[in-house]
Every structure is written in structure tokens, then in C-alpha cells.
Amino acid sequence: GGCNWITCRCGHQFCYFCFNTDPQHHNQPCNAPPDKTAQGAQSDLEYYMHYYDRWDGHRKSQELETQLRQDALSCMEDLTAHADHPSLQIDLAFLSEGTEALIACRRVLKNTYPYAFFLPKSSAKELFENLQARLEAQTEQLSAALESRQPLSAEATAEERRAHKTKIVNLGADARVRLRHMREGLEEGLVPKVTPAKPVMPTVGRPSGSRADPILL
């Protein structure tokens, strides 16, 4: 799946983004950018890579979680085929609904990182990153829950299945709330719109005083 808390086959667990191995880091936001007070190419690169890695990580997670849509439908079909109650198809709709909420959150979350990269340091950026962190934490929790299939297996008890359903329904509802808060923050002007800096247009290969062709960096 697309959850960014990785469990290796050897049992070692770590965060895909920052390699933190603290179990408390699981389901916690990992969006705090590096300190930008230092000057120099190394500092600039670390700052850029922070945003790029998280954009790319959420992009890959979105691709994996899009597959969860089909997996959820297959799981619903398998369980329904072995069910005695025809209403089970409706009861299992929480899998599909949770997956759609996850994909929507991941799509928005992915695009918050390029946006945040261009935001100048300010109280508005802190507010934006707070909304981003809340959405990210909720998204990771929902992703981890949807990846778990054991509570839906034949060995699971009815109580375990009900608990799993309740968990996904609640996480999906909370994720939609976080997603709405992020959108409202942008639409209502809580976070300023970003105006990208003009590209640098150096002159190359021409004598001094001549007109040069622009090169966009």
C-alpha cells in the first residue's frame, strides 16, 4: 500500500521520509522543513529535497493506493460470495468509501508540498503547515487501516470485523474533515496565494552590450 511507515521483512520499522525509527513517530506528521537560517548551496539543497521527497513520496503512495480501489472491490466481492446475508454488500461499502477518501486526501496532500516550498516564512506558512500536518497524520492512519486485511479474513471474529469497520469509518470521516479544513484555508484566504518568483534569465554566448537569448533555469 501507500502508508509511509515501513515494516521491513526483518521486522525493522522506520519512516519512509525521515528514517525515524521511534514507534511514536508512526502516524505523526513528518512535514517540518529543515532550518533555513543557514546560507549556502548545501542548505538550499536540503530545503528543496525536503519538499521534493515528500511530494514524490505522496505521489507514489497515491499510485499504490489507487490500486486499493480495485483491491477493496475484490475484497467486497469475495466476502459477499461467502456471506449468508445479501445486505453484506451494503455493509462493506465502508471499504470503498474509505479508499476514495484516502485517494482524495493523498492527491491534495501531494500538491501541498510544492505550494509550501514557495511560501515565504511567516505566520501564514505556519498555519498552512499546521493544516498540512493534521491532514498528513490522518491520511497515514487511514492508509494503514485500509491496508490491514486480517480483520476481514475468514479467521476474524464478528466483533473484530465490526471494530475494524468502525475504525475505518471514523478515520475516513476525520480525514474528510481535515481535507475540508485545508481547502477552506486556501479558499477563504487564511493562507495567501503564492506568486512564483520570476525565472532567472542569464545571458550567455553574446558579446557585452548585445541582446541575448533568455535561458529559463
Side-chain angles (χ1 to χ4, degrees), residues 9 17 37 49 71 88 110 114 125 136 139 141 146 155-156 159 162 179 185 189 196 207:
R9 285 181 293 181
F17 291 134
T37 56
M49 290 305 299
D71 293 344
L88 186 58
K110 173 190 68 176
K125 183 170 185 175
E136 188 167 70
T139 300
Q141 292 181 52
L146 284 168
E155 294 76 19
E159 183 178 351
R162 284 194 296 270
L179 185 60

Side-chain angles (χ1 to χ4, degrees), residues 200-217:
V200 178
M201 303 175 68
T203 59
V204 294
R206 296 295 180 88
S208 177
S210 65
R211 188 172 182 178
D213 296 328
I215 297 179
L216 302 184
L217 298 181

Side-chain angles (χ1 to χ4, degrees), residues 118-147:
F118 287 103
L119 278 178
K121 187 174 182 179
S122 63
S123 58
K125 183 170 185 175
E126 291 178 3
L127 172 60
F128 180 81
E129 289 177 340
N130 180 268
L131 295 173
Q132 183 188 55
R134 291 172 181 269
L135 176 60
E136 188 167 70
Q138 200 67 42
T139 300
E140 294 303 328
Q141 292 181 52
L142 179 58
S143 178
L146 284 168
E147 288 178 18

Side-chain angles (χ1 to χ4, degrees), residues 8 29 35 37-38 60 68-69 89 103 186 203:
C8 180
D35 186 10
T37 56
K60 292 176 180 176
L68 280 179
R69 181 186 284 124
Q89 183 75 37
I103 293 172
L186 294 171
T203 59

Side-chain angles (χ1 to χ4, degrees), residues 21-198:
T21 58
D22 183 357
Q24 298 300 321
H25 187 71
H26 187 202
N27 297 330
Q28 296 298 318
C30 190
N31 69 323
D35 186 10
K36 195 64 173 62
T37 56
Q39 300 295 322
Q42 182 64 30
S43 175
D44 291 343
L45 178 60
E46 291 176 356
Y47 188 77
Y48 169 79
M49 290 305 299
H50 166 83
Y51 290 97
Y52 175 81
D53 286 344
R54 282 154 180 77
W55 169 83
D56 189 51
H58 287 302
R59 178 186 64 81
K60 292 176 180 176
S61 292
Q62 183 184 357
E63 292 176 354
L64 292 171
E65 287 162 351
T66 300
Q67 179 60 38
L68 280 179
R69 181 186 284 124
Q70 184 58 46
D71 293 344
L73 292 175
S74 298
C75 181
M76 291 165 64
E77 291 174 357
D78 291 342
L79 290 173
T80 302
H82 298 87
D84 297 328
H85 303 287
S87 63
L88 186 58
Q89 183 75 37
I90 299 175
D91 293 338
L92 289 172
F94 74 93
L95 285 176
S96 178
E97 293 169 358
T99 301
E100 294 305 321
L102 174 62
I103 293 172
C105 288
R106 192 70 77 180
R107 180 173 60 250
V108 171
L109 189 58
K110 173 190 68 176
N111 291 315
T112 62
Y113 281 96
Y115 185 93
F117 176 77
F118 287 103
L119 278 178
K121 187 174 182 179
S122 63
S123 58
K125 183 170 185 175
E126 291 178 3
L127 172 60
F128 180 81
E129 289 177 340
N130 180 268
L131 295 173
Q132 183 188 55
R134 291 172 181 269
L135 176 60
E136 188 167 70
Q138 200 67 42
T139 300
E140 294 303 328
Q141 292 181 52
L142 179 58
S143 178
L146 284 168
E147 288 178 18
S148 177
R149 287 288 184 260
Q150 192 281 329
L152 298 176
S153 65
E155 294 76 19
T157 65
E159 183 178 351
E160 288 175 330
R161 292 182 182 179
R162 284 194 296 270
H164 188 61
K165 174 182 177 180
T166 300
K167 180 179 182 179
I168 290 180
V169 169
N170 290 338
L171 287 173
D174 290 343
R176 291 186 185 91
V177 170
R178 301 301 185 193
L179 185 60
R180 187 179 74 248
H181 289 170
M182 173 63 76
R183 287 173 172 167
E184 289 175 349
L186 294 171
E187 293 172 356
E188 297 179 8
L190 298 179
V191 179
K193 294 182 179 180
V194 173
T195 302
K198 293 182 178 180

